[in-house]
Amino acid sequence: MLNSIPVRFIGLALLLTAAAGCSKDKPIYEHENFDDSGTFSRNYPVTDTASCEAARRALLSQGYIITSNDPKLVSGHKSFQQTGETHLEISFNVVCADDGSAGHHATVFANALQDRYALKKTNNSASLGVGVLGSVSMPIGSSDDSMVKVASETVSSQKFYERFFTLVELFLPADAKKAAHITEKPKTDLGVPEAKPAPAPLAPAPAAEPAPAPAAEPAAAPTPAPAEATPASSEPVAPPAEAAPITPAPVTEPAPATETITPPANPTDIPPPSEPIPAMPASGQ
């Protein structure tokens, strides 16, 4: 009885190991169930052209670069730089198809592909031989840096596509959303900036009412002006005397200043010279 228990455990372990090995070696396409989970498609109560236009606007609002001009096909991509040596790019593809109903409704199919790139360095070496000096080789090396695709995978996150289709509903025509009873979500929850309302013009301040004037006192009765006495006889009025003409005053020039010369004193009053005056030489000598 005791020996049978370890045997059972060993058998169970071998069975689990075999099952794990079979699941590991199972091809990847065996995991495709092709069930309609609604992850990659949505139905909209508008035409296929209007649905693709809403999808195009949704991708443009999130920074995707649109690379297709087909009204029923939208293709775009967006780049992400994770680190200095890794690069990520998401390629988005949207196809709009009419469902064939009388209301011309459309089904939108969307899928995103994620490509990962890494920086690869390639070393190139070469040798240079010189015949004059003999067999002398000089190594020459160089390196080239390039981004190489290292992984590619289809995005299968249900939340990722749910956010995308909700954003597409935001860009559908307003009358179609009203007819289909689609409630709009706030734009701020979807990452779309909300338009600010224009400021209302300032209303003019009401003018202050003038204060009522005090009641005026009854005006006194005007007194009659005294009547002017009429002259007994009219006399002629003499004209005013003419004013005498104004003559300019003569301008008097200042008299020139005279210099007073004082005559010399009497020559007799001059004292005699203290030294003898030499005689003048004769002209013959």
Side-chain angles (χ1 to χ4, degrees):
M1 183 67 180
L2 296 176
N3 294 333
S4 61
I5 296 177
V7 172
R8 291 179 180 178
F9 280 107
I10 294 174
L12 182 60
L14 293 176
L15 181 61
L16 293 176
T17 303
C22 293
S23 62
K24 183 178 180 180
D25 297 337
K26 189 177 181 180
I28 190 65
Y29 57 81
E30 293 293 338
H31 297 281
E32 290 290 340
N33 298 323
F34 291 101
D35 55 344
D36 188 9
S37 59
T39 303
F40 303 96
S41 62
R42 289 291 188 281
N43 295 327
Y44 293 110
V46 293
T47 61
D48 49 3
T49 305
S51 299
C52 270
E53 178 63 21
R56 186 179 72 89
R57 292 174 180 268
L59 292 177
L60 286 173
S61 67
Q62 301 302 312
Y64 283 81
I65 300 176
I66 305 302
T67 57
S68 65
N69 296 325
D70 195 332
K72 299 181 182 180
L73 173 65
V74 180
S75 299
H77 64 274
K78 186 177 181 180
S79 300
F80 303 88
Q81 188 71 30
Q82 293 181 323
T83 62
E85 297 184 356
T86 58
H87 176 75
L88 185 67
E89 183 173 336
I90 294 180
S91 301
F92 221 105
N93 297 311
V94 180
V95 179
C96 305
D98 196 315
D99 59 357
S101 62
H104 296 286
H105 294 176
T107 303
V108 178
F109 301 92
N111 70 303
L113 184 65
Q114 174 180 299
D115 297 331
R116 184 177 291 106
Y117 296 83
L119 183 64
K120 297 294 182 180
K121 297 182 179 181
T122 305
N123 295 326
N124 300 325
S125 60
S127 59
L128 177 63
V130 182
V132 178
L133 302 178
S135 59
V136 177
S137 61
M138 301 175 61
I140 300 175
S142 63
S143 62
D144 297 332
D145 299 342
S146 59
M147 300 295 292
V148 180
K149 183 188 293 187
V150 296
S152 182
E153 181 183 3
T154 300
V155 180
S156 58
S157 173
Q158 187 173 0
K159 292 183 178 180
F160 176 81
Y161 293 100
E162 183 69 27
R163 293 194 299 267
F164 168 71
F165 287 121
T166 304
L167 185 60
V168 172
E169 291 180 1
L170 180 66
F171 291 96
L172 290 176
D175 53 351
K177 290 188 291 185
K178 185 177 181 180
H181 304 287
I182 299 176
T183 58
E184 292 189 4
K185 294 185 178 181
K187 296 182 179 181
T188 54
D189 297 345
L190 301 175
V192 179
E194 188 173 359
K196 296 182 179 180
L202 298 177
E209 297 181 357
E217 297 180 359
T223 56
E228 296 181 357
T230 57
S233 60
S234 59
E235 296 180 357
V237 179
E242 295 182 359
I246 301 173
T247 56
V251 179
T252 57
E253 296 181 359
T258 56
E259 184 178 355
T260 305
I261 300 174
T262 305
N266 192 1
T268 57
D269 298 338
I270 298 175
S274 57
E275 294 181 358
I277 298 174
M280 296 293 294
S283 59
Q285 293 179 357

